[in-house]
Structure formats: C-alpha cells, structure tokens
Amino acid sequence: MSLKRRLRSRPLTRILVPAAVTSLTVALTAIPASAVYVPPSASATIVTANPADNTPHAKDGSMRAFAQIGNTVYAGGSFTGVKAAGATSWSAANNLIAYDASTGALKTGFTPVIDGAVQTLAVSPDGKLIVGGSFGTVNGVARKNLVELDPATGATITGWVGRGDGGVVRRAIVHDNYLYIAGAFHWVNGTEHSLLARLNATTGAIDSTFQVDASGARPYDNSTELIWGLAVAPDGDTVVAVGNFTSVNGSARNQVVMIDTSGTPAVADWNTDRYEAACYSGTFPFYARDVDFSDNGDYFVIIADGGRGDAYCDATARWETADRGSNVKATWVDFTGTDSVTSVEVTGGVVYVGGHFRWQNNANGNDAQGAGGVSRYGIAALDQQNGVPLNWNPTRSPGSELPSGGTNWGPIMWELWSGPNGLFAGYDSDGLGNEYHGRMGYFPKSGGRTIPVQDAPQADSGFLYLGAGNGQVTKVPFGPGGAGTPATVSQPQLTSAKAAFSLSNKLYWAKTDSTKPTGSVLNVSMLTGGTIGAPWESSGWNTSWFNAASMTGAFFLQGRMYYTTSSSNSLFYRYLTPDGSVVGCTAFTLPTTGIDWRTVRGMTWVAGKLVYGSTNGSLRSVAFDPAASTAVAGSTATVVAAPTADATWNNATLFFATS
C-alpha cells in the first residue's frame, strides 16, 4: 500500500532438487483456502502495462526502495552508477538517488554518501527523507542503519535522533507521527527492541509504549531471526509483520504476526498454521517475504517463496483483517508452481506481485507449467476477489533491448511500490515490459484502465433462456411469480452449446469442438437486448486443459464459476476473473445436502436462489448461500415448472438475463 510500506533483501536463488523431493501431490497445495467467505465484487483501477520511457537506469546491483516528495522520486538500493534514460555514460552514484518524477532528470544537487545498501525509504510528517538499511556511515559520519536526510541536498538532519544501532533496518513505515521499523536488529536508540520498534517520526525518539519483540529463528541451517516485511493498516489500528521468527512477546507466532495498535500495542488473537511447515528448508529457512494491506484495510496479502511443501510456499494469499482465532485460513491462495514471489503491492483494487516466477494460477505445476498455469514472467496483477491473473502482462523481460553487459533475469523483484501516480518496480535485472529498464521501472496510472464490476444479473425478474437445439433457445419470462409462457427464439450464433451463464453484458458458453485438446471450448459472446453475438474463445489459457463441455450446468457469482457434472455428486466451483476470462486451476466443492448433482441439467442464479433443471425435466428453485455451513439444502427446493411440450428443463444450456 503505497505510502505505508517499503523494503526487501535476500541473496537466495532457486536451486535444483532431486525429483523425488519435488514429487508432492497437488492435493497438498490445492486445498481450498476457504469455502466460506466470498469477497464482494468491486471495481479496480490498473496501471498501464507499458513502462515509462524516461525512468533512469541503475548500472548494477539492485533497486530496493522508493519514496516521493512533491515531484521528486527517491530510489534506494545497492548500486554504483546511474544514468538518465537515453544517456550514453554512467555517473557514479552509491545506493540512493533522486530524480524528477515528470521528466526523469536526475537531481544532481542531491548527493548523500551512504556506505551500504538502502533497504527502505519513508517520508516524515515534516517532509524529510527517512532512510533505513545496512550501512555504517552517512556523509562521512558514523550512522548505523537509520538516518533522516534533507530531501533537497541529502545532508544528514543531525537533530533527528533515530538510530538503528543494533542491526539492519529492512522496513520503515510512517503512519501519522509514528515511524514503524522492522529488520534484524535488537537495539534501537540504545534501548532493547527485537526486530520491531516504533519511533516518533518527526524527532526519531523511541516510543516506549511499543514493546513488541519477535524472536526465535526457525530451526534450519543458515537461519537468522529477522522481520522481512511489514504493513500498517490505513486506520493505523493493525500491523502485520512477516519474517523469520517463531515467538512474539512469548506467544507462538511462526513467520507471521498481527499486532493490535488501536491502544497499547499488543499481539493480536490471530494465528495461522499455513507458514509453519518447511518448504525447501535447506535453501529457504523462512519464506513469508512481504505483506501489504488493501486501500481500505479490509484485507491484507502475504507473499512467499520457499519451494514446495504442505504450506503456502511460493504463493500469494489473501487474509481478512477482521478475522481472529488460533487457526485462521486465507480467503484464497494462488500458487506459482515452485517459483518465488518476493514482492507485493495492493492498490487500486489490484494485487500486484513480483518475483522469480514464470506462471500464476499454477497449483498443478511443479517447476513447470501445470494444468491452468498462466504465463506471467516475473510480474503479475491478480484479481483481489480470487487471486486469478488479470489481463495485464508486461513481463520482466528486456525483449530485444538488453544492452551489452546487461542482466536478462534475476531472482528478486525487491520492491513494488505505489506512488501518487503509478507503480514503481525495483529489481536485480535490466528488463521490464520487453524493454531495457536498468534495475528499476515505473508503470503510470495514465494509460491504465478501470476494471468495472462484472457479475451475474442482480435483478429478480427477467428471462430464462433454455437450449432448444442448434441456433435456437426457448425464452421464458421469470420472476418472483414464477415462470411465464415459453417462446422459441432464433440464436444462430449458439451452436453445439452446453452449459452457459451470463456475466455482466456477456454470455459465457461451453461448446463441443473436436479441434480443441479437450474436445471443447469456453466461448464468450456479447449478450445485447437478448441477442447472442458472435463468439470468441474466452482465453487460450483455458482451452488446453479445461473441459468446459463436461459441465451440465453453470453460473457465475462474485468471482466464482459454479458448475455440476454428470459423473460427480458435488456442486463445484472454480475461480474465474472476467478481466481476461481465466479459469482457476483448482476445483473446490461446496457443502450441500439433499440434491443429487449428477441429475442437474442446466443451472443459473436468480436473486439469491439457485434455479436448476434436471434429468426428469422439472425446473426447481432453492436458496443458495455460498458462505453458509450448508450452501444448498435440497429439502427446501420447490418445483417452479413441470416439463411441458414447450419447455422441458433438462438441457445444460440454461441462463438468466434481464433482456
């Protein structure tokens, strides 16, 4: 969340392991995060996928942190040179630079000298630049790991008393007049604080009321206790920290802790076991790498590397801020298929992730693309409702523009940070958006787009459309009073159709097609005034693996595609994002009673009820609540219409529309 967070730091790269170690079944990683809470539909604003051309380049190393004051951008990391976009020669620069946000021109008057890596940047309430990292001197004077600088010159603000004298500062976040810091330290301002502390952001003085200490590295080789990621909720009442620890103020907390800061700071009643098990512990003693809150603070997202295991390894997971308890479950989890995720930024209703991954939606893959895997090379945008990749794919590739001596690919995207007008990216290679961008890039909001709310029709009255053979449907008025008089309507575009559902102004429909790998395709047509338009393939990522024609009924609601098959007595769902039409790689089931789902033929959702046909030709209606312990109770179903010569309700093609 833009101004609330920053950092990163990790020299680990993926290693090859024996096939026997990686042959874990998908069942271990594809368990549904939660079958209860269904996030509401919401619009989103996504940045352009075309990086700005005027961003400066860093010569080597990595860019790890960003901040902006007025029209000046500050970029910190570990590097030795910089040049403006289009320049032919490098200028010496050590670890921290400033440049004009509009033009990209370097601010030559900003000349701090920092002898180690900058890990994090923040802006104080009085407009100064707070810098944290792993350094020992600043501007020739001893100053360990934490300092405040004049934003115009880079001179040290000597009156600011904050000191990171006990170890590396990896995160610094300003909220109101509080400065939260996290890292690998045990002393701050000469007082004992283990991995976490809070200071007065204006003066740098320690806040003695915040005594929340994390400790106890995980018990693996090369394991060192630290906090790696930190986020503060927009209202300031909740802090979440992730890293290598097992205890916080004496309470067992493995890699993740929630802190209640609404009063005297204390460890919250929130815990999960999803980061306890080992992944590839020989290389990754810990794997929870970063965290960020949504703009309204309703949820936060944790990302992880780590390899593979019975945990959220190499994954992105959404968690609801209001949840409490000893075994909290994520709302959704998206696995890469054994590739690292190293950075997250949640902004504008979009979950941006970066790292060393090649795919998203890839729970069925193991260091390879599995069924459902969607190519996303090092950077992706996920649907906040379900974690499925959105239609945004700049990649971390330099394309054909990599200069001599450049680095094509690196293991870490150190930072994604939302500034006032776009998304900044810091990494350890030289490509972004199929262009040369040395160690840093910027995606402006300008040129981006709004993703509107897209969902099932919400009206309680409209029309049921029932398949009636190639090129035609039976149209039946339907509402609280029941079903009206059927009429046959020509729909010449609808041929070889199976299950279908309306989604906003479109119709998704399965079609048998012997030319496709699965013998079927999930098509999309515009649905305008009751007329079905020419179809197009929903997504090429679906066709190679998802047998859409096997569905005997389907409907969409709040980021999920619910469906039945003739071979299983279950009501299934998969995630589906309307923006790009990607189908989730994992099938989940809802808890139901009293219906043999194998007999369903055609299914739709109307105003809180599941309306479905069956093999006996009758149309029924039953209350549907995916958040309930029993989503559907078949004993409460009522017959809406019996089969007649004009409408026999036993066709997989059944959908509801308002026109």
Side-chain angles (χ1 to χ4, degrees):
M1 159 91 43
S2 63
L3 305 177
K4 306 192 305 297
R5 46 178 294 282
R6 8 225 130 171
L7 154 92
R8 245 109 323 211
S9 171
R10 177 200 72 152
L12 301 177
T13 58
R14 178 73 67 218
I15 63 170
L16 297 177
V17 297
V21 176
T22 62
S23 61
L24 299 173
T25 64
V26 170
L28 290 176
T29 56
I31 297 170
S34 172
V36 179
Y37 181 70
V38 182
S41 300
S43 62
T45 302
I46 196 166
V47 297
T48 179
N50 182 23
D53 293 331
N54 61 0
T55 305
H57 306 288
K59 181 179 182 180
D60 48 21
S62 56
M63 198 63 71
R64 308 182 184 187
F66 299 95
Q68 186 167 340
I69 301 174
N71 203 44
T72 300
V73 175
Y74 300 87
S78 177
F79 52 90
T80 64
V82 66
K83 67 179 179 181
T88 57
S89 60
W90 297 99
S91 299
N94 290 316
N95 308 321
L96 182 61
I97 60 169
Y99 65 93
D100 187 279
S102 300
T103 67
L106 294 165
K107 300 278 188 173
T108 56
F110 182 78
T111 57
V113 179
I114 300 174
D115 72 343
V118 170
Q119 306 280 14
T120 182
L121 298 171
V123 179
S124 69
D126 57 350
K128 306 299 193 299
L129 184 67
I130 298 170
V131 182
S134 47
F135 47 81
T137 65
V138 178
N139 296 323
V141 177
R143 191 68 181 250
K144 286 187 176 181
N145 307 318
L146 187 65
V147 68
E148 186 178 67
L149 301 179
D150 183 304
T153 66
T156 301
I157 305 297
T158 56
W160 195 79
V161 299
R163 298 289 190 278
D165 43 21
V168 175
V169 174
R170 297 193 183 276
R171 283 290 191 199
I173 300 171
V174 170
H175 188 280
D176 294 334
N177 197 37
Y178 289 130
L179 169 65
Y180 292 87
I181 62 172
F185 52 78
H186 295 93
W187 294 83
V188 177
N189 288 16
T191 62
E192 285 191 87
H193 290 272
S194 183
L195 313 188
L196 286 163
R198 189 169 75 180
L199 291 74
N200 181 302
T202 302
T203 67
I206 197 73
D207 179 357
S208 61
T209 68
F210 187 95
Q211 194 69 53
V212 181
D213 296 313
S215 61
R218 285 162 59 84
Y220 306 109
D221 292 342
N222 304 311
S223 186
T224 302
E225 60 185 25
L226 53 80
I227 299 289
W228 189 266
L230 186 70
V232 180
D235 64 4
D237 288 348
T238 308
V239 173
V240 176
V242 301
N244 192 352
F245 54 87
T246 56
S247 176
V248 183
N249 281 11
S251 297
R253 294 292 187 272
N254 209 313
Q255 295 199 76
V256 183
V257 63
M258 177 184 284
I259 304 164
D260 183 347
T261 49
S262 60
T264 301
V267 177
D269 178 24
W270 186 100
N271 199 11
T272 180
D273 64 358
R274 292 291 77 206
Y275 300 96
E276 290 184 5
C279 298
Y280 294 162
S281 59
T283 303
F284 301 95
F286 78 102
Y287 47 91
R289 293 288 172 180
D290 200 5
V291 58
D292 194 27
F293 279 95
S294 63
D295 292 338
N296 62 10
D298 284 353
Y299 65 92
F300 57 94
V301 176
I302 296 173
I303 56 92
D305 54 15
R308 205 164 178 86
D310 187 14
Y312 288 168
C313 319
D314 282 347
T316 302
R318 167 176 166 158
W319 306 81
E320 305 310 309
T321 306
D323 283 353
R324 293 294 183 272
S326 60
N327 193 19
V328 179
K329 302 299 182 185
T331 303
W332 53 254
V333 58
D334 178 41
F335 292 93
T336 65
T338 327
D339 276 341
S340 296
V341 190
T342 59
S343 183
V344 63
E345 180 75 355
V346 185
T347 184
V350 175
V351 178
Y352 296 95
V353 292
H356 188 248
F357 52 78
R358 294 159 289 176
W359 305 280
Q360 294 289 316
N361 195 44
N362 198 36
N364 300 319
N366 185 2
D367 204 26
Q369 183 179 18
V374 176
S375 177
R376 291 292 185 266
Y377 191 66
I379 188 169
L382 308 181
D383 190 325
Q384 61 83 22
Q385 200 166 34
N386 53 36
V388 175
L390 297 170
N391 185 22
W392 187 84
N393 189 25
T395 83
R396 276 183 65 189
S397 170
S400 61
E401 296 187 7
L402 186 69
S404 177
T407 301
N408 182 67
W409 174 247
I412 306 173
M413 180 164 279
W414 291 84
E415 180 71 302
L416 289 170
W417 181 72
S418 180
N421 299 303
L423 181 72
F424 293 84
Y427 41 90
D428 56 2
S429 55
D430 293 317
L432 198 66
N434 293 302
E435 301 170 348
Y436 168 57
H437 290 277
R439 316 289 157 151
M440 59 189 296
Y442 175 63
F443 299 100
K445 292 179 181 178
S446 175
R449 58 192 172 88
T450 297
I451 302 174
V453 172
Q454 299 180 74
D455 213 334
Q458 301 296 301
D460 63 0
S461 297
F463 299 90
L464 295 176
Y465 288 83
L466 175 67
N470 271 348
Q472 60 183 15
V473 296
T474 299
K475 181 178 181 180
V476 183
F478 185 79
T485 303
T488 300
V489 177
S490 175
Q491 297 285 0
Q493 299 291 348
L494 193 70
T495 60
S496 302
K498 298 293 184 181
F501 55 89
S502 53
L503 198 173
S504 188
N505 61 345
K506 300 179 181 68
L507 181 72
Y508 284 68
W509 54 284
K511 177 178 180 174
T512 57
D513 186 339
S514 61
T515 68
K516 302 299 182 182
T518 63
S520 68
V521 63
L522 183 62
N523 278 335
V524 184
S525 295
M526 297 302 297
L527 183 59
T528 308
T531 300
I532 300 169
W536 67 90
E537 193 172 323
S538 58
S539 171
W541 300 114
N542 301 332
T543 305
S544 64
W545 68 277
F546 182 60
N547 185 4
S550 69
M551 299 188 297
T552 53
F555 66 93
F556 179 90
L557 186 66
Q558 290 184 298
R560 297 176 174 187
M561 177 182 69
Y562 297 89
Y563 65 96
T564 56
T565 69
S566 61
S567 61
S568 181
N569 186 20
S570 296
L571 177 57
F572 295 101
Y573 69 89
R574 291 180 184 270
Y575 298 137
L576 186 151
T577 177
D579 188 70
S581 301
V582 171
V583 173
C585 66
T586 302
F588 307 114
T589 59
L590 280 181
T592 66
T593 61
I595 295 178
D596 186 343
W597 297 102
R598 293 169 295 190
T599 67
V600 168
R601 295 296 182 270
M603 181 170 61
T604 191
W605 180 86
V606 184
K609 293 184 180 294
L610 192 160
V611 180
Y612 62 101
S614 62
T615 51
N616 69 7
S618 296
L619 183 70
R620 292 176 172 82
S621 175
V622 66
F624 176 73
D625 183 358
S629 57
T630 300
V632 178
S635 61
T636 64
T638 59
V639 175
V640 176
T644 67
D646 293 326
T648 300
W649 304 92
N650 65 352
N651 193 305
T653 306
L654 174 63
F655 62 93
F656 175 76
T658 56
S659 62

